Every structure is written in C-alpha cells, then in structure tokens.
Amino acid sequence: MKKVYLETYGCQMNVSDSERVATALGRDGFEITTDAENADVVLINTCSVREKAEQKLYTQVGRIRHADGPKPVVGVLGCVAQLEGETLLNKIPGVDFVVGTRAVGRVSNILGRTIAGEDGIVDLGERDDDYDWTVADTHRHSPYVAFLPIIEGCNKFCTYCIVPFSRGRERSLPADQLIQEVLDLKSRGVKEVHLIGQNVNSYRPETETGLEGFAGKSAFSRLLRAVAATGIERIKFTTSFPRDFHEDIVEAIETHPNLCNWVHLPVQSGSNRILKLMKRGHTIDRYLKQIDRIRSSSRDIAITTDIIVGFPGETEEDFKDTVELVRYCGFDSAYIFKYSPRPGTPAFEMEDTVSFAEKTLRFLELENVQKACQQRRLERYNDKVLEVLAEGTSARTEGGITGHSTCHKVVNFVGDPKQLGSIANVKITQVKANSMFGEVV
Ligand code: 5AD
Ligand code: SF4
C-alpha cells in the first residue's frame, strides 16, 4: 500500500478539497499518512492568495528534494497548480504532476498513472458531472465539525484578488443535495456544519428544489432556513460579501437558534476611495449600516473581518480611515494583511505606491488598535455562559478540553474526554487574545 502525505495550505475550501482527495485515495487503496518523511507520495494543495502562501510550495518541494532517502512522487494541487499549470513542471524540479482546483476528483487516477510510469500529467479541467462531494468520516478535519461547500469560485473580481482566476466562476451546489448531506452528517454524529464558499451570499442554485416553502429574500437565506430545519445542532457560514449581505440573513439567525451567532464580513478598507479602486462594490456607509443592524440584533452576533493595508495608492488619510473604522466596528477579531501584488490581477498593473516598510508600519499600527479594541470587546464574554462544542483534548493542561463557542471563539476548559462531541455550558473566567478559558457549569 502506497503511503500518501497530503499537505494543505490556504482557505477552508482547500481543506475541504483535501478531505475529498483523501477520501478518494483511501477508497482507491492508498494509505493517508501524517509522516511526511516516510511517505511514498507527497501531495501539496496550494494557495496563491498572497505571495507568502505561494512561496510555501517552493520551500516544501525544495525540502523534499534535498532530504535523504528515496524521493517520493510529488503532486501539486490547488490554486498555484491551476494558475501555473504545465510551467510548474519545469519551474520546480521534483514536481511529477499538476492538478488544478476543479480537477481534484481525478487525483487518484492521475497518481495511479504516474506510479505506473506516465510522466508530467497536467489536468486543469472541470469537475466531472458525477463528482463525489462527500467526505469519509475518517478524513474529516474533525469528527464533529464538517465543512460543506455550497458555492465555489468567485465572479466579483476585486482588483487585488487572484481567486476568480484560480477558482473560476461561481457555481452553486443544488440545495436538495446540500440538505440531504446535512441530514447524513447529522445521522453520523456531526454536530456543526460550516457552509463554505468564497461568497456564500451569492448562492444561486439552478432550481429552487429543496428551498420551497422557506422564507427569505435571497436564495442563501432560504438555504440557511432549510439547513436549520434539518435540526442539526449548529450551523456556521463563511465568507459573507458585504455588497450582497442582506438583512434577511440576520433575520434568519434571529429566528433559528441553531444558526450560530457569528458573521465574517470582510471590509478590506475603511476608505471609500480605496474600496472603489478595489472594486468591492460597497461603501463604508453601507457597511456601517450592516454592522449597526447586526449589533442591534437580539442575538449577540460576533463580527469578524479581513483588512488589507497598503493597497496601491493608499494614502496616510485612507489608512487613518481604516483605523477609525476598526475603532468603530469593534470586531471580535480581524485578519490584517499587507497588500501582496498578484500577477494577472488588475491591481498588479497599478503602481505599488506603498513601500514594504510603510506597509509593515501600517500593519503593526492597525494590529495594535485592533488588539486593544478586541480585548475590550471580548471582555463582554467574562462571566457569561457560552455553549462550547467539545472538539478535542488539549495536550497542555491535564483534563483540558478545547472547542469552539457558537460565536466561534476557541474556548478551553477542564472536563472529561467523555464530553467530546457534545455541547458544554462553559462560564468564561478568562479572556485572552486568541482564546478564552472557563468552567463547566
Ligand atoms: N494581498 C493581500 N491580501 C489579500 N487578500 C486577498 N488577496 C490579497 C492580496 N493580493 C486577503 C483579503 C481576503 C483574504 C482571504 O485575503 O483580505 O479577504
Ligand atoms: Fe477575492 Fe473579492 Fe472574490 Fe473575495 S469577493 S474571493 S476578495 S474577488
């Protein structure tokens, strides 16, 4: 049995693709190993969203090539594979085959052919019509939490972003298929599903089958209600696109307790001028109205965001607007990124006016502001009882259990491994930067 080591970089979509690749490989007689050194095959599922992520591929292949012992077969999958295709074979010595983002269903077959002696296979094709979207329980990142893609690709073409090129056009999965999948996951003991997509609120299936009778102005909010009706314990969804984030999504959260109180709504910049250059299709005014609506909800909904600093043309004034926005919004957390020019995107043609040193300064300043706001904001959880899904044991504390709250915070507490897979009511006693600690009540 050939041992396959599968390394995954990037977003949840990549994690989800890898879970399905592992499922297919397991079914076709390969063994998935966590031991990279002794693997016969190394598959790298790549990310191209920033240069740093892309760099990981080159470092990893270099490491494999220079290691002692027999050289494994190396396959490159995912976004870098899709964008670079055949050139990767020449660019990185040691790469045996290349499989794009929508061709991952054929990895098993391509690997078999490579082992049989076929050289340099490159597949950047579309998904097969009968592509199997299911993940075997053993290959899910958690026995209790499942990622469920509802839409793939992106049609938005924000000027800095490579995703529309690496993952192609938006394609929504049929609602009835998704609902059936949630019911299956529930019957297999999964407690939480994450509906995932680059822009979940752009969800637009070809037919309404499965959504009949569910209220909501958008197909996505009807899907949320339909998934809630399956009775699965918890539902989270990410990522939301501000332009298409309608109030009916908040209304669905308010109506269905199993829709979790967390919204990830990337703002990217606090300056209207920069948002326009980014072609985001939303203004600060509209974004703040959405924040106010979420804040005024009867549920305490945690809001998280993504921000890019140092976009081409970003002035001190624009950056100050971003700092001010961060102060106003009180995000539960924010992922801050330095702008990274991506070849092939419209912004790549713009002059990268902000120096790397200046990007770093802005990054650090914004990070400090966010950290302070975040600490203040998270204090509201102190003494509150949160529902935490016990997902794993912690190696650091004896009897330590770790999991996520409905508001998607990492919460650690002392408990019993028997609790794994169930929801614990945890009273928060300590709020740290990236996690909380509490006691079971
Ligand atoms: N440079 C820096 N950050 C980027 N992101 C996307 N493209 C780039 C880029 N070229 C960030 C955005 C997005 C997150 C997933 O990655 O903030 O929301
Ligand atoms: Fe990229 Fe914009 Fe699409 Fe998000 S919405 S994946 S940032 S193009």
Side-chain angles (χ1 to χ4, degrees), residues 105-392:
R106 293 184 287 274
V107 165
S108 211
N109 170 284
I110 292 167
L111 177 56
R113 282 159 53 200
T114 303
I115 291 171
E118 212 174 316
D119 235 4
I121 303 176
V122 176
D123 185 345
L124 307 180
E126 296 302 316
R127 293 203 195 264
D128 293 322
D129 288 339
D130 59 352
Y131 178 71
D132 187 357
W133 286 92
T134 53
V135 174
D137 290 340
T138 41
H139 294 303
R140 222 179 300 111
H141 68 284
S142 158
Y144 317 114
V145 182
F147 289 156
L148 188 62
I150 64 164
I151 176 169
E152 61 172 340
C154 184
N155 293 353
K156 306 298 182 283
F157 291 93
C158 301
T159 53
Y160 53 80
C161 189
I162 198 71
V163 169
F165 305 94
S166 62
R167 288 206 164 262
R169 295 296 72 73
E170 286 171 3
R171 205 184 68 131
S172 298
L173 278 92
D176 52 346
Q177 178 186 319
L178 295 171
I179 293 159
Q180 188 53 49
E181 182 60 21
V182 174
L183 288 168
D184 287 349
L185 290 166
K186 184 183 166 210
S187 72
R188 300 210 302 270
V190 167
K191 295 292 152 61
E192 183 173 301
V193 289
H194 287 221
L195 309 179
I196 63 168
Q198 246 65 46
N199 293 299
V200 284
N201 31 32
S202 301
Y203 178 71
R204 230 154 265 123
E206 276 174 19
T207 72
E208 285 279 313
T209 314
L211 300 179
E212 304 93 341
F214 291 100
K217 287 188 199 78
S218 62
F220 178 59
S221 64
R222 285 198 289 284
L223 178 73
L224 281 180
R225 289 172 189 270
V227 173
T230 63
I232 190 140
E233 194 106 20
R234 323 213 276 195
I235 303 135
K236 293 176 180 174
F237 57 89
T238 181
T239 292
S240 296
F241 187 57
R243 196 192 70 193
D244 300 332
F245 187 87
H246 299 300
E247 195 180 9
D248 54 346
I249 297 169
V250 186
E251 282 163 10
I253 296 176
E254 286 166 343
T255 320
H256 300 277
N258 54 349
L259 291 178
C260 287
N261 47 340
W262 167 46
V263 170
H264 183 61
L265 199 60
V267 67
Q268 311 298 3
S269 169
S271 150
N272 277 328
R273 206 179 67 80
I274 296 297
L275 286 179
K276 218 168 189 176
L277 288 173
M278 289 177 164
K279 284 216 163 66
R280 287 287 289 173
H282 68 89
T283 60
I284 293 307
D285 202 41
R286 256 192 73 197
Y287 186 84
L288 295 183
K289 283 204 176 90
Q290 286 163 340
I291 296 291
D292 291 343
R293 170 65 185 95
I294 299 169
R295 285 266 178 275
S296 68
S297 169
S298 52
R299 304 264 313 261
D300 178 2
I301 301 174
I303 308 172
T304 59
T305 200
D306 293 342
I307 297 170
I308 297 174
V309 295
F311 185 80
E314 186 187 76
T315 62
E316 268 297 327
E317 276 312 302
D318 295 319
F319 175 66
K320 280 204 184 96
D321 289 345
T322 301
V323 173
E324 202 177 309
L325 175 117
V326 162
R327 286 213 169 93
Y328 177 85
C329 291
F331 297 113
D332 271 33
S333 79
Y335 297 95
I336 304 167
F337 306 103
K338 293 178 210 168
Y339 168 69
S340 168
R342 303 282 65 216
T345 61
F348 189 76
E349 306 303 324
M350 303 176 190
E351 199 189 341
D352 193 5
T353 51
V354 187
S355 70
F356 189 77
E358 184 57 33
K359 279 179 193 155
T360 305
L361 285 176
R362 291 182 189 178
F363 174 90
L364 292 173
E365 183 181 338
L366 191 63
E367 191 183 53
N368 272 333
V369 171
Q370 169 57 24
K371 264 190 194 156
C373 294
Q374 183 168 325
Q375 194 60 34
R376 246 177 285 137
R377 180 92 194 124
L378 297 185
E379 287 299 332
R380 77 187 188 283
Y381 294 117
N382 245 327
D383 281 336
K384 289 249 166 63
V385 176
L386 299 185
E387 289 175 19
V388 180
L389 174 59
E391 290 162 47

